[in-house]
Amino acid sequence: MTTQDDPRRGDATGAGPRLTPLAEDRWDTRIRHLLALAPRDPGGRVPNIFTTLVRHPDLYERFMPFGAYLLRSGRLPGRVRELLILRTALHTGATYEWGRHVPLAKAAGLTEAEIERILQGPDADGWAEHERHLLRAADELHFDARLSAATWEALAALHDDADLMEITLLIGQYHMVAFFLNSAGTPLDPGFDPPPLSPAAAGTTGSTATGSTEGT
């Protein structure tokens, strides 16, 4: 079935989302039940990520508990979590992910200047040493699919085994979400207006990263 044959799909040419968020008049009983548990924006609006993911109800039902645990109930402090998520959103060019998490990062204590500094990478002036290691972890997993021995050792000095597992799985989770959002063309919700992301401009670390390993 082509996009033209199925009005639920968007424009595959890139002019609009390839998978449109499912309109409320298309919610069946099961979808209404699933979305009743979803976080809502002010005014009661269900964010586009959920109304798009719910087009696959079985996957949605299994995905949500894992994602919600990492975001709301995990072991990592909010500041650590949002540093890792925003750095991952930058690497993947995930405008939706970045836009939705900037407010969460601010709520977790990150300042505007620190959020802007995430684009410069771990070698930028101003990071605490532990935060440099966290940003390097996001870089290394993006480019190398593994943490270097030096980064693992540095993080292990402050984190136990469960924390280390969560750090790697959190970064992996937000790569997966970015792959989906970017491919589906999920539009950012009203009220969220992030700056354009340019992964190539980021200061990066990792053995296969291109360009300088110094912050730009």
Side-chain angles (χ1 to χ4, degrees):
M1 180 178 289
T2 67
T3 297
Q4 289 75 17
D5 296 328
D6 185 355
R8 294 172 300 172
R9 295 191 177 185
D11 185 351
T13 66
R18 292 169 172 170
L19 294 175
T20 56
L22 197 62
E24 189 169 358
D25 61 6
R26 301 190 65 89
W27 299 359
D28 61 21
T29 300
R30 184 185 182 196
I31 287 174
R32 288 186 181 279
H33 173 73
L34 291 172
L35 291 178
L37 303 175
R40 294 186 176 239
D41 288 338
R45 187 179 184 279
V46 181
N48 289 337
I49 182 174
F50 302 127
T51 51
T52 305
L53 278 168
V54 83
R55 291 170 60 117
H56 189 333
D58 290 341
L59 185 150
Y60 179 96
E61 189 170 25
R62 289 157 179 80
F63 167 84
M64 286 297 290
F66 179 66
Y69 172 80
L70 288 174
L71 182 61
R72 303 295 183 191
S73 305
R75 296 166 55 98
L76 302 176
R79 181 181 175 88
V80 168
R81 180 191 69 235
E82 296 304 325
L83 275 173
L84 297 173
I85 292 172
L86 287 178
R87 188 64 176 167
T88 299
L90 171 66
H91 280 312
T92 55
T95 301
Y96 189 99
E97 203 165 78
W98 181 276
R100 294 292 314 198
H101 278 269
V102 163
L104 296 177
K106 291 178 179 178
L110 285 164
T111 66
E112 290 274 8
E114 288 171 328
I115 291 170
E116 291 179 6
R117 196 189 305 149
I118 290 172
L119 278 69
Q120 300 174 33
D123 296 315
D125 292 337
W127 293 122
E129 192 64 20
H130 176 238
E131 293 169 338
R132 294 185 192 278
H133 296 311
L134 290 168
L135 293 170
R136 287 194 183 99
D139 290 3
E140 289 173 1
L141 287 173
H142 178 74
F143 289 104
D144 303 333
R146 66 183 298 165
L147 295 181
S148 67
T151 297
W152 181 275
E153 182 179 352
L155 292 175
L158 293 174
H159 293 280
D160 63 16
D161 291 350
D163 283 354
L164 291 169
M165 292 173 63
E166 195 164 310
I167 286 169
T168 58
L169 289 168
L170 177 75
I171 294 168
Q173 151 82 354
Y174 279 89
H175 272 84
M176 178 177 68
V177 172
F179 296 161
F180 169 72
L181 293 168
N182 290 348
S183 297
T186 304
L188 192 57
D189 306 283
F192 296 85
D193 187 23
L197 297 181
S198 177
T204 57
T205 56
S207 63
T208 58
T210 58
S212 171
T213 58
E214 297 296 320
T216 59

